[in-house]
Amino acid sequence: MRKRTKFKHFMFMLIALGMLIYAIPSISFNNGNGWVSLFSVVWVAFSLLVIAAHWHVILGVDEEKKKALERVRLLKLQQWQLTLSEESERSNGM
Protein backbone atom coordinates (compact mmCIF):
# COMPACT_ATOMS: atom_id res chain seq x y z
CA MET A 1 0.00 0.00 0.00
CA ARG A 2 1.22 3.47 -0.73
CA LYS A 3 2.65 5.58 2.06
CA ARG A 4 0.22 8.39 1.31
CA THR A 5 -2.77 6.10 1.90
CA LYS A 6 -1.32 4.85 5.18
CA PHE A 7 -0.63 8.44 6.24
CA LYS A 8 -4.25 9.34 5.48
CA HIS A 9 -5.52 6.44 7.60
CA PHE A 10 -3.10 7.39 10.38
CA MET A 11 -4.41 10.96 10.39
CA PHE A 12 -8.05 9.80 10.45
CA MET A 13 -7.25 7.45 13.30
CA LEU A 14 -5.63 10.28 15.27
CA ILE A 15 -8.66 12.51 14.65
CA ALA A 16 -11.05 9.79 15.86
CA LEU A 17 -8.86 9.16 18.89
CA GLY A 18 -8.76 12.88 19.64
CA MET A 19 -12.54 13.11 19.40
CA LEU A 20 -12.88 10.17 21.78
CA ILE A 21 -10.43 11.64 24.30
CA TYR A 22 -12.17 15.03 24.09
CA ALA A 23 -15.65 13.52 24.55
CA ILE A 24 -14.99 11.00 27.34
CA PRO A 25 -15.10 13.55 30.22
CA SER A 26 -18.46 14.94 29.12
CA ILE A 27 -20.14 11.60 28.32
CA SER A 28 -22.60 10.32 30.92
CA PHE A 29 -22.47 6.66 31.89
CA ASN A 30 -24.90 6.88 34.84
CA ASN A 31 -27.49 4.11 35.11
CA GLY A 32 -30.31 6.55 35.84
CA ASN A 33 -30.18 8.33 32.47
CA GLY A 34 -31.37 5.37 30.33
CA TRP A 35 -31.22 6.56 26.72
CA VAL A 36 -28.35 8.94 27.41
CA SER A 37 -26.24 6.12 28.83
CA LEU A 38 -27.13 3.87 25.90
CA PHE A 39 -26.15 6.58 23.43
CA SER A 40 -22.87 7.10 25.29
CA VAL A 41 -21.97 3.43 25.15
CA VAL A 42 -22.89 3.14 21.46
CA TRP A 43 -20.94 6.30 20.61
CA VAL A 44 -17.81 5.07 22.40
CA ALA A 45 -18.12 1.63 20.80
CA PHE A 46 -18.47 3.15 17.34
CA SER A 47 -15.47 5.41 17.96
CA LEU A 48 -13.37 2.43 19.00
CA LEU A 49 -14.54 0.53 15.91
CA VAL A 50 -13.43 3.40 13.64
CA ILE A 51 -10.06 3.56 15.37
CA ALA A 52 -9.61 -0.22 15.10
CA ALA A 53 -10.50 -0.19 11.39
CA HIS A 54 -7.89 2.44 10.61
CA TRP A 55 -5.31 0.64 12.75
CA HIS A 56 -6.09 -2.56 10.82
CA VAL A 57 -5.34 -0.81 7.52
CA ILE A 58 -2.17 0.82 8.86
CA LEU A 59 -0.79 -2.53 10.01
CA GLY A 60 -1.42 -3.99 6.56
CA VAL A 61 -3.21 -7.11 7.74
CA ASP A 62 -5.22 -7.26 4.52
CA GLU A 63 -2.05 -7.24 2.43
CA GLU A 64 -0.66 -10.21 4.35
CA LYS A 65 -3.93 -12.10 3.93
CA LYS A 66 -3.98 -11.39 0.19
CA LYS A 67 -0.42 -12.68 -0.19
CA ALA A 68 -1.21 -15.83 1.79
CA LEU A 69 -4.36 -16.48 -0.23
CA GLU A 70 -2.44 -15.95 -3.47
CA ARG A 71 0.15 -18.53 -2.37
CA VAL A 72 -2.63 -21.03 -1.60
CA ARG A 73 -4.28 -20.34 -4.96
CA LEU A 74 -1.01 -20.89 -6.84
CA LEU A 75 -0.33 -24.13 -4.95
CA LYS A 76 -3.81 -25.43 -5.80
CA LEU A 77 -3.29 -24.47 -9.44
CA GLN A 78 0.00 -26.37 -9.55
CA GLN A 79 -1.63 -29.43 -7.97
CA TRP A 80 -4.48 -29.26 -10.46
CA GLN A 81 -2.03 -29.02 -13.40
CA LEU A 82 -0.03 -31.97 -12.04
CA THR A 83 -3.22 -34.04 -11.72
CA LEU A 84 -4.23 -33.17 -15.30
CA SER A 85 -0.82 -34.07 -16.69
CA GLU A 86 -0.82 -37.41 -14.83
CA GLU A 87 -4.29 -38.22 -16.17
CA SER A 88 -3.17 -37.24 -19.66
CA GLU A 89 -0.12 -39.53 -19.44
CA ARG A 90 -2.26 -42.44 -18.23
CA SER A 91 -4.76 -42.00 -21.06
CA ASN A 92 -1.98 -41.76 -23.67
CA GLY A 93 -0.17 -44.79 -22.24
CA MET A 94 -3.16 -47.09 -22.62
Side-chain angles (χ1 to χ4, degrees):
M1 185 178 287
R2 296 183 337 205
K3 286 186 177 185
R4 185 177 187 129
T5 305
K6 285 192 177 189
F7 178 74
K8 179 180 75 170
H9 283 285
F10 183 73
M11 292 304 298
F12 288 150
M13 185 186 71
L14 284 180
I15 290 169
L17 188 60
M19 287 173 47
L20 181 63
I21 290 171
Y22 179 77
I24 286 289
S26 60
I27 291 178
S28 174
F29 292 105
N30 296 335
N31 288 336
N33 291 341
W35 290 106
V36 175
S37 296
L38 179 65
F39 175 79
S40 300
V41 169
V42 170
W43 193 89
V44 169
F46 184 71
S47 298
L48 292 174
L49 184 67
V50 168
I51 292 167
H54 286 295
W55 187 245
H56 185 265
V57 171
I58 291 169
L59 291 178
V61 176
D62 286 338
E63 293 175 18
E64 294 172 13
K65 281 184 182 179
K66 286 180 184 177
K67 289 177 184 177
L69 288 173
E70 183 63 23
R71 284 193 300 267
V72 169
R73 189 185 68 79
L74 289 175
L75 181 62
K76 285 185 177 183
L77 180 64
Q78 289 173 351
Q79 289 174 346
W80 181 68
Q81 288 175 343
L82 180 63
T83 304
L84 284 178
S85 65
E86 289 173 355
E87 288 178 4
S88 175
E89 289 176 3
R90 274 189 252 151
S91 65
N92 288 338
M94 290 187 168

